[in-house]
Amino acid sequence: IRAAASNPAVLYACATTSAAVSNQDTAGVVTVLRSADSGDTWQNIGANLLQGSACLLAVNPANSDDVYVFSGGNSSLSPAMLHHSTDGGKTWQAIQPALTTPSIRTTQRLYLQQLEFAGNSLLGIDYSIRPLPIPSPPGPSLILPRLVRSVDGGHSWTTIDDQFSSQGLGAQSYAFNPAQPNTIYDLLGHPLLPVDRAPPNDVMPVYGINQQLYKTTDGGAHWTLALAQVPYSSSVQLASGNPSIVYVG
């Protein structure tokens, strides 16, 4: 569920319509709902819009009618898809996002988490499966989540923390300064164990061993270590009233 800071009475929610009374073990149909009265009443604005079971929302903090929804990406039958609306969900533009990673040099599909508006760009963590790009014996691949950004409305995405791939570090959590979107905190860690390439599903690997917090002030061009030896499976967040206050835990 998401709201815009400029108009918190307008809410968007990912929802599932499932036949719970039928005792059927089905995922149901995923859709997007909108409320203009702080949740008292809701309208279905995402019927026949989403693919698969994934649903992720990002609402423009300055414009409650500007919303993105991400779906799919967790199987070949439900490819990654973004839908963008500038009129509160009355109409939608379908976007097929593409990811480029310098260490892989191929275009890959996305499986986004933690989608956010950051100034004039979009940020998220991508959970695509990719091999660890360092010399290693043949074996299972590692899922290394990467912090990704789009500056063209979600059409194309690039990794901004790819330098940590060679260290086997995956992005776990991030936060950014809304007043200075190029100031980003990236919490990274090693995976618990190598994950075999397998039929995609909704199970995310757990990251958090040897976590480290890095900071950039230039949108990812350069990173500096801000905090080492972060406790297992932590996350990072900035204080809403004072972004110079950073919480990690």
Side-chain angles (χ1 to χ4, degrees), residues 12-43:
Y12 296 87
C14 290
T16 303
T17 58
S18 59
V21 296
S22 67
N23 296 322
Q24 294 179 359
D25 186 17
T26 58
V29 178
V30 181
T31 189
V32 178
L33 306 179
R34 183 181 189 271
S35 173
D37 52 13
S38 301
D40 288 337
T41 59
W42 295 84
Q43 297 173 329

Side-chain angles (χ1 to χ4, degrees), residues 31-247:
T31 189
V32 178
L33 306 179
R34 183 181 189 271
S35 173
D37 52 13
S38 301
D40 288 337
T41 59
W42 295 84
Q43 297 173 329
N44 188 345
I45 62 170
N48 303 318
L49 188 68
L50 306 186
Q51 305 180 55
S53 58
C55 178
L56 198 63
L57 291 168
V59 183
N60 190 334
N63 182 357
S64 61
D65 286 334
D66 187 10
V67 58
Y68 282 86
V69 57
F70 173 83
S71 66
N74 57 339
S75 75
S76 59
L77 298 178
S78 57
M81 184 65 68
L82 273 171
H83 286 87
H84 181 212
S85 176
T86 58
D87 54 14
K90 295 177 183 177
T91 59
W92 295 91
Q93 175 195 10
I95 301 171
Q96 184 78 58
L99 171 68
T100 56
T101 305
S103 61
I104 303 299
R105 298 180 181 179
T106 58
T107 299
Q108 302 184 133
R109 62 181 178 86
L110 281 81
Y111 192 5
L112 289 174
Q113 297 287 316
Q114 302 180 43
L115 182 64
E116 298 280 357
F117 271 87
N120 295 322
S121 63
L122 292 169
L123 287 175
I125 292 182
D126 169 49
Y127 276 84
S128 297
I129 297 178
R130 58 177 66 87
L132 186 63
I134 60 175
S136 60
S141 300
L142 285 178
I143 299 176
L144 289 178
R146 294 267 62 92
L147 187 59
V148 294
R149 177 175 57 194
S150 174
V151 297
D152 61 1
H155 293 271
S156 59
W157 296 76
T158 57
T159 58
I160 63 175
D161 65 352
D162 195 54
Q163 69 186 69
F164 300 108
S165 295
S166 61
Q167 304 174 40
L169 292 171
Q172 170 78 16
S173 173
Y174 75 93
F176 63 92
N177 185 339
Q180 301 173 357
N182 281 330
T183 297
I184 306 169
Y185 297 84
D186 193 4
L187 188 60
L188 303 115
H190 292 288
L192 288 176
L193 53 99
V195 179
D196 286 313
R197 185 179 296 274
N201 53 49
D202 290 334
V203 179
M204 292 290 99
V206 177
Y207 284 74
I209 295 178
N210 302 323
Q211 281 194 303
Q212 307 165 45
L213 181 67
Y214 281 83
K215 177 183 178 181
T216 179
T217 57
D218 53 16
H222 303 89
W223 294 89
T224 58
L225 180 65
L227 184 64
Q229 298 180 343
V230 177
Y232 168 76
S233 193
S234 293
S235 60
V236 58
Q237 186 170 331
L238 306 186
S240 59
N242 186 351
S244 64
I245 299 177
V246 185
Y247 296 94

